[in-house]
Amino acid sequence: MSLPPEKASELKQLIHQQLSKMDVHGRIREILAETIREELAPDQQHLSTEDLIKALRRRGIIDDVMKELNFVTENVDQELPSSPKQPVGFDKQSTLKKTNIDPTRRYLYLQVLGGKAFLEHLQEPEPLPGQVCSTFTLCLHYRNQRFRSKPVPCACEPDFHDGFLLEVHRESLGDGTRMADSTTMLSISDPIHMVLIKTDIFGETTLVASYFLEWRSVLGSENGVTSLTVELMGVGTESKVSVGILNIKLEMYPPLNQTLSQEVVNTQLALERQKTAEKERLFLVYAKQWWREYLQIRPSHNSRLVKIFAQDENGINRPVCSYIKPLRAGRLLDTPRQAARFVNVLGYERAPVIGGGGKQEQWCTLLAFLCRNKGDCEDHANLLCSLLLGYGLEAFVCVGTKAKAVPHAWVMTCGTDGTITFWESLTGHRYIHKPINPDEPPLAEQAKPLYPYRTIGCVFNHQMFLGNCQPSDAVETCIFDLNDESKWKPMSEEAIKSVCAPGATTSLPPFPPLCASTIDASVTSNEIEMQLRLLVSEHRKDLGLTTVWEDQLSYLLSPALASYEFERTTSISAGNEEFQDAIRRAVPDGHTFKGFPIHFVYRNARRAFATCLRSPFCEEIICCRGDQVNVPLRSNCLEVSGISLGCTDRCAP
């Protein structure tokens, strides 16, 4: 393989820098002097190249150099984004772990060298070998690159020792193929987002901390290397409480030819903070003025759910529009309805509250939501809206209430023909909105709404924010003509753009890419099925019943599972006729077939079995008595980016 002259020159420079770093030249001179002194006869004045190479090889110098320069292909625990550009990982000795490193590009090598002061785990006993214990996992995102550390046991001083190679690049201004210099990198304001997740022995995840690391201090450090101590704060109501400290080392690769002075770096960061604060102040002034005008329209608007700001997991107030950005799923999700299915199988969990008093507000950033694999209704709605925008739809997040005045968020799309469609992000269901005319006579026939929503206060996306100023905020009577300012009061798009547009210093960093699943669906399905079979057999044995498994009938349940999943995704039923015909042929005369399909969003077989037993119909099947009872069971793991899990049990006496 031939390289262009400029790349060959860059490669030579990198090798020279590495050799200089190892002081190979000095070691060669020492060995040369030693060889001449010890091995050559006094009358011999010439040392051949072969003799020198033998001496270097004998003392291990060549092996050391090749070890430092050699690219190896060991696997690294990282997430693979849907983008063709993939991140690279390092081990502790800075040995390259992947072969796709471009020697003409600039990289930031981030090492996590242990943690300390995780006082919540001060009394945590050291796990025995092979013992299942709670673990910490550190997730990182930087400019379309995602990483995940190896899980480490929870402890007061967790043993984090991972390295991540982050490519620093420019995607605009036409210089995306050039190696970024110090001045260019100083203008890249994207932080490194770090999320710490705790996984307990039952597989339940908890968001421990979320931290935005400002990495540009390394540009003013000697030799482009610096060490940092990062204090992680809690989330939600504990956002002011320290949960632990991470020791981090940053290193530029290749080393910088010229570093900036620390004064220049600090001045740049101070100017950015000043600019950010001014933009936030101006937007806050505008938002207050907009709210006063909104209340002047009708004083009762004060009770409507018009959400302009929302707190993230760190307790920072951000404009709600900053939580939305068009998100493309690459080839992981092919259709908007697949996207809705993907979002709805992410777990639902309200933000934890210490004590009573109502709901704790916490809108998670996308990385925290994806890494924790669960979140509140607002997190689901924000993600679904971003995905639908990526598919080219005109999508908005709606904030309002459902039954019993419970605050809720869902998604709305506006068709080019005026059709308004509601998307429930927690279930994947879609509803067509047909407004009811309250002035119609009582006996006039009007469409009965099927959706669960009662009131709506505002709608927003990444560019627009509109408050509902119609006489009634009831969804069923609402007219969604967003261009009619007598019905919807808009915010200035320029004001929103100043704080929420991509690249704005006040905005959240670019969204992380979705990642392909690391779960083998077939293997996981078989494992769950065997575990469920064992649980059913033990349960029936406790009841004094024997269990005979019918493998052929179990296999015949697969088409039904696939059909159910297809219907949940597309709202189209298919394949039911073939399934019914196969069952009729398989079940002997005089026998009855009973089936119980159920869907879970987790892979814990024992938890799934306990849920099944809470259904009287399923319990009747599992506890079935008779002369000839054959029990088929089928489990199917249907994955969308490793999240969606379908588990179905079938029993036939």
Side-chain angles (χ1 to χ4, degrees), residues 341 344 427-429 563-571 599:
R341 178 64 170 151
N344 101 263
T427 63
H429 294 160
S563 177
Y564 297 148
E565 181 64 23
F566 182 77
E567 185 176 359
R568 289 291 295 268
T569 303
T570 64
S571 302
H599 170 262

Side-chain angles (χ1 to χ4, degrees), residues 76 88-92 109-112 147 150 161-165:
V76 61
V88 181
F90 272 94
D91 64 6
K92 300 177 191 177
Y109 180 33
L110 184 151
Q111 296 181 75
V112 183
F147 300 84
K150 295 184 290 291
H161 280 93
D162 280 286
F164 311 98
L165 193 67

Side-chain angles (χ1 to χ4, degrees), residues 324-327 380-390 395-397 411-412 460-462:
I324 308 294
K325 289 184 179 68
L327 179 63
H380 288 77
N382 291 338
L383 175 56
L384 179 56
C385 181
S386 297
L387 287 168
L388 296 182
L389 288 169
F396 298 86
V397 172
V411 179
M412 173 186 76
F460 64 90
N461 60 18
H462 63 303

Side-chain angles (χ1 to χ4, degrees), residues 428-452:
H429 294 160
R430 300 166 65 252
Y431 308 96
I432 303 298
H433 172 67
K434 295 181 179 179
I436 294 176
N437 187 354
D439 298 327
E440 287 285 334
L443 298 180
E445 185 176 349
Q446 298 196 57
K448 185 178 180 180
L450 301 176
Y451 44 77

Side-chain angles (χ1 to χ4, degrees), residues 585-645:
R585 291 176 178 276
V587 178
D589 293 340
H591 288 67
T592 303
F593 173 81
K594 293 182 180 180
F596 180 73
I598 188 169
H599 170 262
F600 301 104
V601 294
Y602 45 82
R603 301 191 301 274
N604 188 319
R606 188 172 295 276
R607 180 180 172 189
F609 182 67
T611 302
C612 291
L613 288 178
R614 286 197 287 269
S615 167
F617 189 73
C618 181
E619 185 182 18
E620 176 189 345
I621 294 174
I622 293 177
C623 304
C624 182
R625 300 172 182 267
D627 295 333
Q628 296 179 358
V629 178
N630 295 327
V631 184
L633 182 148
R634 195 66 171 176
S635 169
N636 195 8
C637 177
L638 303 170
E639 57 176 352
V640 182
S641 293
I643 302 299
S644 178
L645 175 70

Side-chain angles (χ1 to χ4, degrees), residues 59 95-96 102 162 171 231 236 245 251 259 284 339 348 388 424 573 610 639 645:
R59 287 163 176 78
T95 303
L96 297 182
D102 187 345
D162 280 286
E171 297 176 336
E231 183 179 16
I245 294 173
E251 180 179 358
T259 59
L284 180 60
Y348 169 64
L388 296 182
E424 177 48 60
S573 178
E639 57 176 352
L645 175 70

Side-chain angles (χ1 to χ4, degrees), residues 63 103 105 111 170 293 382 423 432 434 541 609 650:
D63 291 338
R105 307 300 289 272
Q111 296 181 75
R170 295 294 302 274
E293 295 173 357
N382 291 338
W423 303 63
I432 303 298
K434 295 181 179 179
K541 184 178 179 180
F609 182 67
R650 293 291 191 274

